[in-house]
Amino acid sequence: MTSTAVTGPNSNPHTNAKKRSARPSAFKLLARNQLALMGAVILALVVLIVIITPILPLPDPDATDPAQRLLRPLADGHFLGTDHLGRDLLSRLIWGTRVSLAVGISASLVAALFGSVIGIVSGYFGGRTDNIMMRGIDMLMAFPYILLALAIVAALGPGLMNALYAIAVVNIPFFARNIRGVTVGIAHREFVDAAKLSGKGHIRIILTEILPNVMPVIVITISTTVGWMILETAGLSFLGLGAQPPQADLGSMLGEGRKLITTAMHLSAIPGAMIFVLVMSINLLGDGIRDVLDPRLKSGALARPAPLTRIDRTDEGAGTTYPDDTVLAVDELRTEFVLGDDSYKAVGGVSFHVGKNECVGLVGESGSGKSVTALSLLGLVASPPGTIVGGRVMFDGKDVYGMSEDDVRDIRGGKAAYVFQDPLSTLHPLFSIGDQLVEAIRAHNAVSYKDAWAKAVELLGMVRIPNPQSRADNYPHQLSGGMRQRVGIAMALANEPRLIIADEPTTALDVTVQAQILKLMNNLRNDHGTSVLFITHDFGVVSEICDRVAVMYAGRIVEMGTTEQVLHHPAHPYTKRLIDCVPRLGEPDRRTSAIPGLPPAVNNLPAGCAFADRCDRVEEACRVGSIAFDDLGNGHGVRCIKPMEGADV
Amino acid sequence: MSDASHVSDVVLQTRDLVRTFGGGRTLFGGQKPTVYAVRGIDVAVRKGETLGIVGESGCGKSTLARMLVGLDRPTEGNITLTGSDMNDLIAHDRHALSRRIQYVFQDPISSLNPRKLIRETLAGPLRYLRGLSGEDLNKRLAELMDAVNLRPEFLDRYPHEFSGGQAQRVGIARALAAEPEIIVLDEPVSALDVSVQAQVLNLLADLKKKFGLTYVFISHDLSVVEAVSDRVAVMYFGRVVEQAKGRALFDKPLHPYTRLLLDSAPVPGKRGLTVEDASAELPDPLAPPPGCAFAPRCPRAQDDCVAKVPDAQYGLENHDAACFHPLNPVTSA
Ligand SMILES: Nc1ncnc2c1ncn2[C@@H]1O[C@H](COP(=O)(O)OP(=O)(O)OP(=O)(O)O)[C@@H](O)[C@H]1O
Ligand code: SF4
Ligand code: SF4
Ligand SMILES: [Mg+2]
């Protein structure tokens, strides 16, 4: 939906250099996250101290001195005091941290190594290999976590190394499952097939195609689990199964301190605080790393968009007046996206109107702003990053952008309804289609469930779903693509809308099904007097269903007229060339000439005509100042200073 | 079956090709459902021609294409590449197979590894299939980029920095890198914008001429297939239901399904599609019907249609359809 606007800029090679520098580096992103930065700084400090421990002027951590036992912190010569055997607590803490950190990190790396190998092999080869390996992992996971660790240590005997093995083994399933899931997704991507056809063997494919794509997930998993592993090692040591006396690690210090918790609280409080600081800083950093490496989080996709697009208008349109029976009037609508330091003018001043019972087509290539225009009409563009920065939309004579949120919501799905390209995006997978229709009806009308159900069945019949009574109980996945789209249309019709906004409703469908849907929409228009705004890139579909058509290019309408005018006498060079470059059934020998180049990126539009770089009629004047939309009479208009007069196609 | 085997210029041929998915037994001995994706296909491709294959989604086009390049193996039947059996080729020397037949994917972006430079992607086939390295490899990379009209500096970019059309050119360059005789193109322009579609179609035509390539061109778009193909096969539900040379299929379709496809395609400047009854049910790939798969939707269906599967004789020169009651009387070419 909004991606049309966002992918637009990618299509222009000239802006790529700019784009690259505009995208913040991973380090910058990490630094921007203050909590993660704090975690990183603390952790770096701890690691630094731990690395230089051997050369620090610390007393021997294991040297006992009964005379000095249980000194309080800040005592002479013992900054953090001493324990029950008179050993220096600061020294033990630092040496202990060193041990705990080393064990925790080693355990993570071992678990990551084995877990990733199992996960990748299992996910890549699939089938029997996958089955056997995953059943093994399931068996490991069936045991309670700590019990398994205890069992392993019990079998191997207590000791730090054995604790390390136990923690690593216990964590292997977690890694294996995570990595397998990701690998399965990647192994079925087409580039893996392409690599096979490039002559690469399995090992090479795993190492050079799969691993680079799985690596971020491995790093994320390590960075988010290392903290827990340190805790677990501490746990085993606390139980006396890890570090053996006199060696110190944070867990064993805690365990020893526990016995004296009432008399010398600092003995357990100090290692406890250290564990807290360590695990906290690692987890904060881990979350930061995850945010940087996971593009979904980076793009803010998880942030909840506002219910209504942000409106921050500098103008309210040119105040053009439209005929009386106008259902929808759009006046100089402008919608922008702000991403980083760039602003993308996805819709750069669009004006058109849809009359009663009229079908208006909006045609253009991907990225031309069709979908953003449609979504802007009722404030459905996600904010952030979208903002409506200018213009006006009148629906049924009322200014949509002047309405309250509730009023707009009432229009959506009520008097104006959307039909999208992918019906699955509007249908909930877990409810029957009948129930979903009922909900749509009852959201706008106070009717009983039974009446609404009857209406739902009637609607399904209206969109010609065979056997609507029983089909109403079906779930979306039980229907074919064509049927789902019909249900999508039935949803749109639920409240007898005055306007249907259909965004490429047939693009994903087969031609035979497309023909049925187009006929259905035509019938609905005749029977109910509904108006339709039909978005498509296919001139064949336009001919079939539209009365008038607007051609969009780089966020603006470049030509508008009746279907007859635009298709048979295009005035804009772009329209003409767009029509010419599609092969036409029944005319295989007609010359199809490609349009050279690509549309301009909407974050970097030229001053003059946006089509100038691709136009064969371009002249000096085309590149200075914006081009006005000229009226050619009879409702035909064009945004070109040298329109083609009466060009025949 | 066909007379193709007697003609020496046939480079690729399939016989009774079948591919099913699933099946087998469950843990408790129950029968797992079997999906019939391809249900007996005979096609032959001549050197230097473009064989167009057209059909709607789910009819088995991609499954067929993947078997043709050795990415998937048929459940039954066989494929021969200038006389040698595909299974033997895969078993003995996969690389030799990939040097002769290559594939262009439908989704240009997802067929490129997002974490690799275009240079690395294109170097794969050059290095492993053609044994190039060092200066030779770099020279060839530059030639390939030139062949698909991309600037050489694009070699050092990542896939997400490309538009769909540019990415598809890279996909074509990767196929060309192996210097194959045959390229199987699975919906090569479906994911592209119309203005870019024409650029890629023109490029494919130029390359074919320049390198003497043979194409198997798969698409759901009748007008594209009509424009590029020397021969056309129409697929329905895992079978070829009609095949003809040149434009005969579009001028005088024999099979009712071909007629329906032609009537359903909207044409710019024309209005009034004929639309079939919406209640017509599509066949279930889990339980293929016994007779003609099109019978439930067919306006000409009679009793014999559901009793037996209609057969056809597909040759290199003739026009035939798998239908008991074809639309126009069959005239042998
Ligand atoms: N790996 C698989 N497992 C199970 N079923 C499959 C598998 N691959 C394909 N199929 C099924 O085989 C049939 C043919 O699929 P195929 O992908 O060849 O169709 P297609 O004609 O290429 O469709 P489209 O135009 O949508 O790509 C479909 O019913 C599909 O669901
Ligand atoms: S204004 Fe100039 S460059 Fe733009 S379409 Fe018209 S002739 Fe071409
Ligand atoms: S065989 Fe019968 S059902 Fe099948 S297409 Fe021909 S007439 Fe129709
Ligand atoms: Mg396919």
Side-chain angles (χ1 to χ4, degrees):
Chain A
M1 294 187 279
T2 50
S3 68
T4 42
V6 185
T7 49
N10 290 351
S11 52
N12 195 325
H14 308 298
T15 56
N16 279 337
K18 180 166 182 265
K19 200 176 147 266
R20 227 180 277 180
S21 62
R23 194 170 49 216
S25 72
F27 182 75
K28 252 192 185 161
L29 274 173
L30 192 60
R32 209 177 281 173
N33 183 338
Q34 305 214 339
L35 280 177
L37 188 67
M38 199 176 81
V41 168
I42 297 176
L43 187 66
L45 213 68
V46 173
V47 168
L48 181 76
I49 293 175
V50 147
I51 287 174
I52 60 168
T53 308
I55 58 165
L56 288 180
L58 289 170
D60 181 351
D62 300 336
T64 55
D65 183 357
Q68 302 271 333
R69 61 192 291 269
L70 290 178
L71 289 183
R72 301 271 152 190
L74 300 180
D76 233 8
H78 299 285
F79 182 64
L80 289 179
T82 55
D83 68 3
H84 59 292
L85 296 177
R87 296 176 293 198
D88 181 62
L89 215 50
L90 178 65
S91 171
R92 279 183 78 72
L93 181 74
I94 292 179
W95 281 98
T97 306
R98 185 178 154 99
V99 170
S100 289
L101 207 54
V103 172
I105 291 176
S106 316
S108 304
L109 292 180
V110 171
L113 179 68
F114 285 96
S116 303
V117 169
I118 294 173
I120 290 178
V121 167
S122 185
Y124 176 75
F125 289 102
R128 187 156 299 167
T129 320
D130 184 30
N131 247 326
I132 293 172
M133 288 180 128
M134 281 302 120
R135 288 305 81 78
I137 292 293
D138 285 347
M139 263 150 67
L140 269 185
M141 287 191 102
F143 290 102
Y145 197 74
I146 194 75
L147 195 68
L148 185 62
L150 287 176
I152 294 172
V153 176
L156 298 176
L160 249 190
M161 274 324 265
N162 293 345
L164 189 156
Y165 295 143
I167 299 294
V169 168
V170 165
N171 280 288
I172 285 176
F174 182 67
F175 275 89
R177 294 204 134 200
N178 247 353
I179 305 301
R180 176 188 169 270
V182 181
T183 308
V184 168
I186 291 166
H188 288 119
R189 295 268 293 279
E190 292 181 331
F191 67 79
V192 175
D193 281 337
K196 282 182 196 154
L197 293 176
S198 297
K200 291 189 174 182
H202 289 312
I203 304 218
R204 203 167 256 139
I205 288 178
I206 287 181
L207 290 179
T208 66
E209 307 281 341
I210 307 269
L211 192 61
N213 287 289
V214 176
M215 209 55 203
V217 183
I218 299 180
V219 172
I220 290 170
T221 319
I222 292 180
S223 66
T224 46
T225 47
V226 100
W228 295 114
M229 302 237 197
I230 289 176
L231 266 186
E232 283 155 18
T233 332
L236 285 183
S237 291
F238 179 83
L239 296 174
L241 299 170
Q244 296 303 306
Q247 191 184 30
D249 85 340
L250 295 175
S252 61
M253 285 173 73
L254 205 59
E256 286 160 4
R258 182 185 56 119
K259 296 165 202 149
L260 298 165
I261 195 152
T262 44
T263 48
M265 209 182 59
H266 68 284
L267 285 191
S268 39
I270 287 170
M274 192 63 191
I275 292 176
F276 174 77
V277 167
L278 207 53
V279 173
M280 233 10 229
S281 64
I282 288 175
N283 285 352
L284 286 177
L285 179 64
D287 286 350
I289 290 176
R290 190 193 56 209
D291 291 356
V292 170
L293 290 181
D294 195 330
R296 262 178 318 145
L297 296 162
K298 191 162 40 174
S299 69
L302 296 186
R304 244 171 81 113
L308 199 67
T309 311
R310 204 163 78 84
I311 298 169
D312 186 7
R313 288 186 290 180
T314 52
D315 66 275
E316 296 191 6
T320 325
T321 48
Y322 289 101
D324 280 348
D325 66 347
T326 301
V327 174
L328 175 77
V330 181
D331 190 7
E332 287 300 307
L333 172 69
R334 288 186 293 127
T335 306
E336 292 185 0
F337 293 94
V338 179
L339 295 173
D341 307 328
D342 279 337
S343 76
Y344 296 89
K345 298 185 172 55
V347 179
V350 163
S351 307
F352 65 92
H353 70 278
V354 183
K356 185 168 172 354
N357 198 14
E358 195 182 24
C359 177
V360 174
L362 204 54
V363 190
E365 297 178 75
S366 75
S368 62
K370 308 182 295 288
S371 296
V372 181
T373 302
L375 292 171
S376 299
L377 299 177
L378 293 182
L380 280 172
V381 177
S383 287
T387 310
I388 291 163
V389 295
R392 188 153 69 149
V393 172
M394 303 289 282
F395 179 73
D396 249 353
K398 285 187 232 70
D399 183 354
V400 176
Y401 300 151
M403 290 181 193
S404 72
E405 221 174 278
D406 283 339
D407 287 345
V408 178
R409 215 180 319 211
D410 210 46
I411 295 180
R412 291 180 193 161
K415 280 183 173 172
Y418 281 89
V419 178
F420 292 106
Q421 173 171 351
D422 175 13
L424 277 185
S425 65
T426 33
L427 295 176
H428 195 290
L430 297 180
F431 294 97
S432 73
I433 55 172
D435 277 336
Q436 297 188 51
L437 280 166
V438 165
E439 201 187 298
I441 295 165
R442 301 224 295 173
H444 294 270
N445 302 291
V447 290
S448 74
Y449 184 88
K450 217 171 126 235
D451 290 349
W453 184 268
K455 176 92 195 287
V457 171
E458 187 194 318
L459 283 167
L460 290 176
M462 198 144 86
V463 296
R464 313 208 44 208
I465 299 265
N467 200 357
Q469 279 89 354
S470 65
R471 281 292 183 180
D473 289 322
N474 279 176
Y475 292 89
H477 72 91
Q478 292 170 308
L479 304 177
S480 72
M483 282 209 252
R484 280 199 289 258
Q485 194 55 284
R486 278 188 228 150
V487 174
I489 295 175
M491 292 273 251
L493 292 176
N495 299 299
E496 283 141 31
R498 310 228 320 127
L499 174 70
I500 294 180
I501 302 164
D503 190 353
E504 306 242 13
T506 60
T507 304
L509 303 176
D510 284 326
V511 279
T512 53
V513 184
Q514 166 170 291
Q516 292 172 352
I517 300 280
L518 293 179
K519 182 175 169 209
L520 172 69
M521 296 196 68
N522 258 335
N523 289 349
L524 290 170
R525 213 147 62 82
N526 296 337
D527 300 349
H528 299 264
T530 319
S531 309
V532 180
L533 177 64
F534 197 102
I535 297 176
T536 177
H537 62 266
D538 186 337
F539 280 111
V541 172
V542 167
S543 309
E544 192 60 36
I545 185 162
C546 298
D547 303 317
R548 288 189 302 129
V549 53
V551 181
M552 274 190 89
Y553 188 75
R556 308 202 74 176
I557 291 178
V558 294
E559 178 159 9
M560 172 117 208
T562 63
T563 306
E564 156 78 16
Q565 284 166 345
V566 173
L567 254 74
H568 292 280
H569 312 285
H572 198 284
Y574 173 66
T575 314
K576 165 117 177 66
R577 303 211 57 172
L578 193 62
I579 295 171
D580 279 346
C581 71
V582 208
R584 226 181 252 190
L585 197 60
E587 303 172 38
D589 297 319
R590 201 173 58 97
R591 211 180 109 259
T592 54
S593 55
I595 312 177
L598 294 164
V602 287
N603 62 342
N604 191 19
L605 288 172
C609 172
F611 189 59
D613 282 344
R614 305 170 79 188
C615 183
D616 50 8
R617 297 162 65 90
V618 61
E619 53 181 50
E620 214 53 30
C622 301
R623 299 186 189 273
V624 266
S626 77
I627 313 280
F629 192 80
D630 284 333
D631 192 2
L632 301 176
N634 296 325
H636 195 180
V638 66
R639 193 181 298 280
C640 172
I641 55 171
K642 259 172 71 185
M644 314 203 295
E645 275 161 53
D648 278 308
V649 179
Chain B
M1 273 276 117
S2 71
D3 55 348
S5 49
H6 307 302
V7 184
S8 57
D9 66 350
V10 168
V11 283
L12 182 68
Q13 183 165 22
T14 72
R15 277 199 201 83
D16 296 325
L17 211 59
V18 174
R19 180 69 169 98
T20 57
F21 293 100
R25 305 235 157 234
T26 62
L27 205 57
F28 303 105
Q31 189 77 39
K32 280 196 212 160
T34 307
V35 177
Y36 290 84
V38 166
R39 309 188 304 139
I41 287 190
D42 294 277
V43 285
V45 190
R46 277 172 150 175
K47 186 166 175 43
E49 77 169 349
T50 297
L51 172 69
I53 296 181
V54 62
E56 296 183 279
S57 72
C59 75
K61 305 185 296 288
S62 299
T63 310
L64 172 66
R66 290 172 58 82
M67 289 193 285
L68 291 180
V69 294
L71 279 174
D72 197 359
R73 306 269 196 114
T75 316
E76 280 167 45
N78 63 12
I79 305 172
T80 47
L81 196 60
T82 37
S84 17
D85 187 88
M86 180 80 83
N87 279 330
D88 294 344
L89 283 171
I90 294 176
H92 290 138
D93 190 355
R94 231 191 143 79
H95 287 187
L97 175 67
S98 296
R99 275 195 291 268
R100 300 187 54 193
I101 184 160
Q102 277 290 336
Y103 195 64
V104 172
F105 294 84
Q106 171 166 359
D107 184 343
I109 300 282
S110 94
S111 71
L112 299 174
N113 189 332
R115 291 187 185 266
K116 287 175 99 173
L117 292 174
I118 299 309
R119 175 185 298 282
E120 299 165 42
T121 298
L122 289 182
L126 294 177
R127 196 170 285 141
Y128 305 118
L129 295 176
R130 288 289 156 192
L132 296 182
S133 60
E135 208 33 59
D136 292 345
L137 192 140
N138 285 335
K139 220 178 103 222
R140 197 66 190 108
L141 281 173
E143 283 172 19
L144 282 173
M145 292 300 271
D146 185 52
V148 296
N149 304 332
L150 286 175
R151 289 205 294 273
E153 63 260 30
F154 282 18
L155 279 171
D156 293 305
R157 297 235 171 120
Y158 286 99
H160 71 260
E161 299 176 54
F162 283 80
S163 70
Q166 291 169 333
Q168 194 57 297
R169 279 163 213 254
V170 175
I172 293 169
R174 174 177 52 206
L176 285 178
E179 296 168 45
E181 303 150 43
I182 309 169
I183 300 185
V184 177
L185 305 131
D186 187 5
E187 306 257 15
V189 295
S190 307
L192 307 179
D193 255 321
V194 281
S195 82
V196 181
Q197 219 175 52
Q199 294 174 0
V200 172
L201 287 176
N202 290 349
L203 171 70
L204 286 171
D206 292 345
L207 292 172
K208 185 180 166 187
K209 220 179 291 155
K210 194 164 158 198
F211 299 110
L213 297 167
T214 305
Y215 287 160
V216 178
F217 192 105
I218 296 175
S219 177
H220 70 277
D221 189 333
L222 289 143
S223 53
V224 171
V225 167
E226 183 186 29
V228 303
S229 308
D230 299 310
R231 277 189 311 127
V232 179
V234 178
M235 276 181 73
Y236 184 72
F237 197 58
R239 285 213 174 93
V240 173
V241 295
E242 179 163 7
Q243 188 196 286
K245 193 170 187 282
R247 313 263 149 78
L249 188 130
F250 295 89
D251 296 339
K252 266 188 181 339
L254 300 178
H255 201 283
Y257 175 64
T258 312
R259 178 81 263 161
L260 175 67
L261 277 183
L262 290 169
D263 291 344
S264 305
V267 176
K270 294 196 189 128
R271 193 163 204 157
L273 296 176
T274 34
V275 177
E276 70 170 318
D277 193 2
S279 63
E281 287 278 332
L282 301 181
D284 178 3
L286 291 172
C292 172
F294 189 60
R297 296 170 71 183
C298 183
R300 299 170 71 87
Q302 294 174 26
D303 290 347
D304 53 345
C305 301
V306 288
K308 208 167 138 262
V309 178
D311 200 5
Q313 301 296 317
Y314 298 128
L316 292 172
E317 302 287 342
N318 71 342
H319 180 184
D320 200 3
C323 174
F324 294 125
H325 315 285
L327 289 157
N328 299 300
V330 190
T331 47
S332 53

